[in-house]
Amino acid sequence: MNHEHTHGKYCGIVELEKKTVSQPSLPKEYIQPLAAIFKVLGDPTRLRILHALMEGEMCVCEIAEQIRMGQSAVSHQLRILRDARLVQFRRDGKVIWYSLADNHVFTLLAVGLEHVAE
């Protein structure tokens, strides 16, 4: 059996064809920041916090109650999520309200949830 590894020729049984739609290359300066986002998303607790925030703005005590964790632990995770620009906050007197940073974060989570639900 002839196994050539040249694009456009036979490789085993399947003939490789050039794509008619070109995929833009991933710029080098995006690789590390994108990997960092997925690393932050790789923690189950942070995913539970983000999922809670998909419902809307919440304070630390509401998030802690919803995901059944201590406020200190939730605050620590929120700091990591803020540093990754996945959540934002606003102060209202003594209360700090958290929400998803933007629609991109919501979409990223929604698509991920849809993918694992298939």
Side-chain angles (χ1 to χ4, degrees):
M1 193 184 259
N2 184 12
H3 294 281
E4 293 183 38
H5 296 286
T6 307
H7 290 295
K9 297 191 177 186
Y10 286 100
C11 179
I13 300 170
V14 180
E15 181 178 343
L16 300 175
E17 296 179 15
K18 289 185 179 181
K19 290 184 177 180
T20 55
V21 178
S22 65
Q23 177 73 19
S25 65
L26 181 62
K28 286 183 180 182
E29 64 269 18
Y30 291 175
I31 293 172
Q32 276 307 116
L34 184 59
I37 287 171
F38 281 108
K39 183 176 181 180
V40 170
L41 292 174
D43 180 85
T45 299
R46 291 193 283 266
L47 284 174
R48 290 169 50 217
I49 291 170
L50 291 169
H51 184 257
L53 291 173
M54 287 177 80
E55 296 176 15
E57 190 175 63
M58 299 174 120
C59 66
V60 174
C61 60
E62 291 172 331
I63 297 168
E65 183 178 320
Q66 184 163 336
I67 68 168
R68 292 184 166 81
M69 283 188 70
Q71 289 185 26
S72 177
V74 169
S75 291
H76 174 72
Q77 297 302 329
L78 283 166
R79 191 172 313 111
I80 293 169
L81 291 166
R82 268 194 342 249
D83 290 346
R85 297 183 358 215
L86 295 171
V87 299
Q88 61 187 2
F89 70 96
R90 68 175 180 87
R91 186 178 298 276
D92 183 15
K94 292 184 178 184
V95 180
I96 298 176
W97 295 94
Y98 291 90
S99 60
L100 297 179
D102 57 35
N103 287 337
H104 296 116
V105 177
F106 186 95
T107 301
L108 184 61
L109 295 167
V111 170
L113 288 167
E114 183 182 332
H115 179 73
V116 297
E118 291 180 345

